[in-house]
Amino acid sequence: MNGYFQLITMPTTTGIKVFPPTDFGETLQYDDIKEYLDERSISYRPQVLNEAVTQATGELVVLNDNAAFPERESYRLTISRDRMEASAFFYAPSEGAEEMTPKEFIEDLAYRNIVFGIDSEAISNYFSDREYCKEIVVAKGSKTREGTNAKVDYTFKADLHAKPTMREDGSVDYFNLNIINHVHKGEQLAILTPEDPGDPGQNIYGEILNPHPVKALKLVPGKNTYLSEDGLVLYADADGHVTLKDGKVTVSNVIEFENVDVSTGNINYDGSVVVKGTVASGFSIKAGANIIVKGVVEGASLNAGSDIILERGINGMGKGEIKAGGNIVTKFIENSKVTAKGSVTSESILHSNVSSGTEINVSGKKGFIAGGRVTATDKITAKDLGSDMGATTIIEVGADPNIKVRIRELQKAVSDSTKRLVTIKPTVESITKRLRTGGQLSPEQTRQAQQLITMNKVLVSQIEKNNKELEQLQQKLADSKDAYVVVEGTAYPGITIHIGDQQTTLKTESTYCRFELRDGYVKTGPI
């Protein structure tokens, strides 16, 4: 039992008895008695009280020369900060005073609005065998069980990337890339684990504590796939190769052509396209998955939902354009426009506009970028940048280049909407004021007023929406500070390097260096 105390009331004085702990109980603390006496305005001399607590003989110690009223058994209730637990610290009644009943205590908890998680057993144990000056948990809430988001496990490599290897002679092997996930009919493609919403909790005041919201998912079958009856497993419904795009799994076959020219016309295919020869100038290939061309691409247009592999390269003749939803791997790029959501890998880039959503690697025997504009979100690595002939070359890393375009579009849209809003606002305010003062409008005025009020709401909504997107894009642009450019050979004078919203134009030659954003400026350092 813990050490405890008892107030002693007498006709002309008030005293206290302090009892020592037994059976390894805890010693009574000075502050516990002090709090009790202060709340009841019972005076005492601190030194006398401290000696009584320290000695704890169980003998009477006089606190003051004033008579005090007897004190019934009472308690101090402590509520945890999270409102999940209540504990009682019981005080003994003064000598001859009344004890508290279990019913009285439970009713007192209800009066304090503590209605959930009452520990009836702990309360019963206390009143059966009282232990004073001991914290007793009398109510405890139930914790919230947080749920988990749904997840999809793919049985194929969903993030397959084309990664060419370097041969011993320094050239790049663009042939064995393993970019296709082959599957057979009946194979499992994806398994869905449904979301677990969790379980709500409840604090001692009976307030429901809901778990955080969880994200639900569902399997979306694409071409040549089907779902199990419970919707938890996705299967292939045909032989072919499997791709994942925008959360949808698709199984596609591969179609092959000797050449793409006047004998075939333009190609538009849901799956992958393989061209054994060349793609002639003026023709186009559009594929839902990959495009592989073993010969040269002339001034043609290639658009793939996934990767584009050009085993020889592209000479766009100023009109060729290739666009990939994944990566682009090519021998060379000349006089072309090239865009990839993923990476771009080539041995050389000459007088072209090349854009990557991740990184651009120009390696191999040549490894140069000369002329044009080359842009990547994360990094650009090349052997040489520019040339000693002074070709205008712009190297840009940082946020997705489309972000800057979108920011300009949004800024103009917000400006235009604001101007229109300013124009109609006085009229809307005038109409509103007139209606509030009981004024009447003709049918034509009412129709015009309704149009203006609707337009006002639409413009306000558009401005809010555009400002929100603008803020998000500007944050992405600010995050571009980690992007960099690596030069493994020579960076020639005259090239311009942009990182985020900063830029620098080289005035002198730099070798084996790295350009990055430091202290708000584009600076160079060793690799």
Side-chain angles (χ1 to χ4, degrees):
M1 178 182 291
N2 288 352
Y4 70 99
F5 68 95
Q6 184 179 34
L7 189 69
I8 308 298
T9 59
M10 294 168 285
T12 59
T13 58
T14 300
I16 197 170
K17 290 181 180 180
V18 180
F19 299 92
T22 59
D23 298 327
F24 304 102
E26 294 181 4
T27 302
L28 183 66
Q29 299 299 308
Y30 175 90
D31 287 341
D32 290 330
I33 305 180
K34 179 180 181 300
E35 180 181 352
Y36 178 91
L37 296 175
D38 289 345
E39 284 184 353
R40 291 157 180 78
S41 300
I42 298 174
S43 61
Y44 58 90
R45 285 177 293 171
Q47 182 178 356
V48 172
L49 180 61
N50 186 56
E51 288 178 359
V53 173
T54 303
Q55 295 174 5
T57 62
E59 298 294 327
L60 175 65
V61 175
V62 175
L63 296 177
N64 59 53
D65 295 327
N66 300 313
F69 293 105
E71 291 287 342
R72 297 179 73 245
E73 181 182 11
S74 59
Y75 66 95
R76 177 188 70 209
L77 191 69
T78 302
I79 307 298
S80 63
R81 293 182 66 180
D82 60 3
R83 299 157 69 93
M84 292 295 286
E85 188 175 285
S87 59
F89 188 90
F90 285 89
Y91 300 109
S94 59
E95 200 170 57
E98 292 182 351
E99 292 183 335
M100 181 180 288
T101 66
K103 180 181 179 183
E104 179 184 0
F105 177 73
I106 291 174
E107 289 177 349
D108 196 23
L109 290 180
Y111 176 77
R112 295 170 184 261
N113 294 321
I114 298 174
V115 296
F116 180 80
I118 305 297
D119 193 338
S120 301
E121 183 177 355
I123 295 171
S124 177
N125 289 340
Y126 167 76
F127 283 102
S128 298
D129 185 13
R130 285 174 164 83
E131 289 188 57
Y132 300 117
C133 298
K134 177 182 179 181
E135 290 285 352
I136 300 171
V137 176
V138 295
K140 197 169 187 177
S142 63
K143 290 185 177 181
T144 301
R145 186 181 69 83
E146 295 295 343
T148 55
N149 293 331
K151 69 172 184 174
V152 176
D153 294 310
Y154 298 100
T155 59
F156 59 93
K157 193 172 182 181
D159 58 345
L160 197 63
H161 295 299
K163 292 184 178 179
T165 57
M166 190 76 70
R167 296 190 182 98
E168 291 183 1
D169 63 0
S171 63
V172 180
D173 182 1
Y174 293 93
F175 301 92
N176 301 307
L177 302 172
N178 298 317
I179 64 167
I180 297 177
N181 288 303
H182 292 283
V183 294
H184 298 287
K185 184 175 181 178
E187 280 188 25
Q188 284 189 357
L189 302 177
I191 301 170
L192 170 66
T193 302
E195 72 277 11
D196 175 6
D199 296 313
Q202 197 169 356
N203 64 24
I204 60 176
Y205 295 103
E207 297 168 336
I208 302 300
L209 309 173
N210 291 314
H212 291 96
V214 297
K215 184 179 180 181
L217 295 174
K218 64 178 182 178
L219 292 175
V220 181
K223 183 180 178 181
N224 293 326
T225 66
Y226 66 94
L227 284 171
S228 59
E229 290 185 3
D230 57 11
L232 299 181
V233 183
L234 185 68
Y235 296 91
D237 200 27
D239 294 343
H241 76 276
V242 58
T243 57
L244 174 66
K245 184 178 180 182
D246 298 329
K248 182 182 288 188
V249 179
T250 301
V251 176
S252 301
N253 294 324
V254 179
I255 189 169
E256 293 187 355
F257 299 92
E258 289 296 326
N259 297 289
V260 173
D261 51 23
V262 292
S263 65
T264 63
N266 294 328
I267 306 300
N268 190 340
Y269 184 61
D270 289 339
S272 291
V273 175
V274 175
V275 181
K276 295 180 180 180
T278 63
V279 181
S281 179
F283 289 89
S284 67
I285 300 175
K286 186 174 182 180
N290 305 300
I291 295 176
I292 299 175
V293 181
K294 299 181 182 294
V296 174
V297 177
E298 298 172 356
S301 173
L302 276 59
N303 191 327
S306 295
D307 299 325
I308 293 179
I309 310 298
L310 308 181
E311 293 186 2
R312 293 189 61 183
I314 177 171
N315 185 345
M317 307 173 184
K319 58 183 178 179
E321 180 175 359
I322 60 176
K323 185 175 182 180
N327 307 303
I328 294 176
V329 179
T330 178
K331 189 80 170 178
F332 63 86
I333 301 171
E334 291 183 15
N335 298 297
S336 304
K337 181 178 181 180
V338 176
T339 305
K341 285 189 176 180
S343 64
V344 175
T345 303
S346 179
E347 284 192 5
S348 64
I349 299 176
L350 182 64
H351 300 303
S352 296
N353 190 333
V354 181
S355 175
S356 164
T358 57
E359 63 183 59
I360 295 175
N361 295 297
V362 183
S363 55
K365 286 184 177 180
K366 297 179 180 179
F368 66 82
I369 300 174
R373 178 185 292 268
V374 179
T375 305
T377 300
D378 299 328
K379 67 175 181 177
I380 293 175
T381 303
K383 189 175 179 180
D384 296 328
L385 295 181
S387 70
D388 52 8
M389 301 297 291
T392 301
T393 307
I394 299 173
I395 306 297
E396 186 174 26
V397 293
D400 186 330
N402 292 323
I403 288 180
K404 291 184 177 181
V405 175
R406 181 59 180 158
I407 285 176
R408 289 193 290 269
E409 291 175 351
L410 289 170
Q411 287 173 335
K412 185 177 185 306
V414 169
S415 176
D416 292 344
S417 296
T418 302
K419 288 177 181 178
R420 292 181 64 190
L421 195 62
V422 169
T423 302
I424 68 171
K425 188 175 181 180
T427 306
V428 172
E429 290 178 347
S430 175
I431 293 170
T432 303
K433 183 177 180 181
R434 183 175 179 181
L435 291 174
R436 286 177 178 172
T437 56
Q440 299 295 319
L441 298 175
S442 67
E444 178 62 22
Q445 289 176 324
T446 300
R447 185 184 63 80
Q448 292 177 351
Q450 289 174 341
Q451 289 179 342
L452 288 174
I453 291 171
T454 300
M455 184 182 297
N456 185 80
K457 290 180 180 178
V458 170
L459 289 172
V460 169
S461 177
Q462 286 177 342
I463 290 171
E464 290 178 353
K465 182 181 177 181
N466 289 339
N467 276 330
K468 185 176 181 180
E469 184 182 353
L470 188 61
E471 182 180 352
Q472 293 172 343
L473 293 180
Q474 287 172 333
Q475 182 60 47
K476 285 184 179 180
L477 192 62
D479 291 341
S480 65
K481 63 181 181 180
D482 294 329
Y484 60 92
V485 177
V486 173
V487 179
E488 298 172 339
T490 303
Y492 290 93
I495 68 168
T496 300
I497 295 179
H498 295 254
I499 301 181
D501 55 357
Q502 299 297 316
Q503 71 177 65
T504 185
T505 300
L506 268 63
K507 293 182 172 55
T508 59
E509 184 176 290
S510 297
T511 58
Y512 303 101
C513 56
R514 170 183 170 125
F515 296 89
E516 59 187 6
L517 202 61
R518 295 200 306 270
D519 303 323
Y521 297 94
V522 177
K523 295 185 179 180
T524 183
I527 297 177

